[in-house]
Structures are given as C-alpha cells and as structure tokens.
Amino acid sequence: MFSQVRFATAVAVIGAALAVPAAGLGAPPVIRDHGSFVDGPNAGSWCGAVDGVETGSGTFTYKEDASGGFHATESFKGVFTASATGKSIELANAGVDMGIGVDNGDGTTTFTEHSAGLAIRFKTGDGGVLKDADGKPILGAGSIDTVVVFDNATGDVISVRETVNGPHPLRDGVDICGPSVAYLTSP
C-alpha cells in the first residue's frame, strides 16, 4: 500500500511539473501549498491477519516555480492497535522531494526528481524499532534519484532510471507482515 501511495504522489508531482510552462529558473513560487490531515480512528486489518483500529496524521508543503521546478516536504505517522492484545505498531515517514521537468525539444520531456529522508520506520508500542526475521531494524532511509522520459504527445513513459542509496525495506522485499503480526498477536 505504501508503495502505491509513493507512486501516486510521484505521478501527481510529475503531472504538476509538466503542466507549468518553462520560464526563468529560480523565480518566486507560482504554486505554494501546505496542509495537514488527521484520519481515524478507523476499523482496519494489519496485513489481513490482525483486526484493530488505525489512525493517521500528516503534513505536507509544496512549492513550484514558473520553470516547473518543485520542492515538497511530507511527514506521516500512523498507529495500528490490535483489538485482541491492545499492542500497537507505529509507522512513520518524512522526507523531501525536489525535481523539474524539461522539454527536450524532440517531442519528449525529461523529468528528474531527488527524494531523501526517512522512507519508512516501524516502531513497537514500547518505542523500539520492529526487527525483521534476521534481527535487522525495519527502517528505510536514504535517497532515490529518478529520471523519467515521457512522450509529450501520448504521455507514455519511454524510460525510467533510478539510483537508490540506503535501505528501503518496502522496495527491497523485506517481510514486514511476519514480524509485525507476530508482535501484535503475542500475549
């Protein structure tokens, strides 16, 4: 689910960057937005195996200049509490994204983005970071640099290149459900 949220955010940011016509670099923001949200408590299921209640809150800022260059920050904190045991898991992320779309003059646009920060962290109710089956903390932090080339006429993606630095458990296929379900259901 988290990966789908990041992908949807990236697509929205790409669309916004491409929609603004190129002008001078370094101009004052033409778009400036800030917001926050609180959601829940809502009934939910953790990994489809544990019934409970979830809450979430977050903030974001977004600035874009006339050239289409953008700077965004976001933070999110969610808590899931198991109904049967009362145990909780907190998940959090916080980061910054910067990028720009440039028309290549050949019917394509190259969009570059740099994302850095805390990709994801899972903490148990006692404040410790949840560990995977090998005893490593389930914690993702670092940076991702992305270069995407689009066909201007169709919007089709021609190529994608990513450079990832640092651990990113959700991208790396780390089993999050096994350890978290075991924690939430243990007496």
Side-chain angles (χ1 to χ4, degrees):
M1 179 181 92
F2 182 75
S3 297
Q4 293 169 337
V5 171
R6 290 287 282 181
F7 179 75
T9 301
V11 169
V13 168
I14 290 167
L18 295 176
V20 176
L25 291 173
V30 293
I31 298 174
R32 183 183 301 252
D33 197 9
H34 172 77
S36 61
F37 72 92
V38 176
D39 186 36
N42 298 308
S45 177
W46 185 268
C47 294
V50 181
D51 290 333
V53 175
E54 55 192 22
T55 61
S57 62
T59 63
F60 74 92
T61 61
Y62 181 85
K63 293 187 286 187
E64 185 175 313
D65 65 25
S67 73
F70 72 91
H71 182 273
T73 61
E74 75 273 342
S75 66
F76 172 80
K77 179 180 171 184
V79 177
F80 179 88
T81 304
S83 297
T85 63
K87 288 188 169 184
S88 296
I89 287 188
E90 174 189 291
L91 58 141
N93 80 313
V96 62
D97 297 307
M98 299 170 273
I100 191 164
V102 176
D103 188 326
N104 297 321
D106 62 358
T108 65
T109 296
T110 299
F111 179 79
T112 58
E113 180 178 6
H114 174 78
S115 301
L118 177 65
I120 192 74
R121 178 194 66 218
F122 293 91
K123 288 173 67 176
T124 59
D126 64 5
V129 176
L130 186 67
K131 300 202 177 10
D132 68 14
D134 295 327
K136 296 179 190 171
I138 300 177
L139 175 72
S143 64
I144 301 173
D145 292 299
T146 307
V147 178
V148 181
V149 179
F150 292 93
D151 180 298
N152 292 345
T154 65
D156 292 340
V157 174
I158 297 170
S159 66
V160 177
R161 186 179 76 234
E162 285 190 322
T163 304
V164 178
N165 295 298
H168 292 78
L170 298 173
R171 296 175 69 91
D172 298 341
V174 172
D175 176 19
I176 293 166
C177 287
S180 59
V181 167
Y183 168 75
L184 289 168
T185 58
S186 66

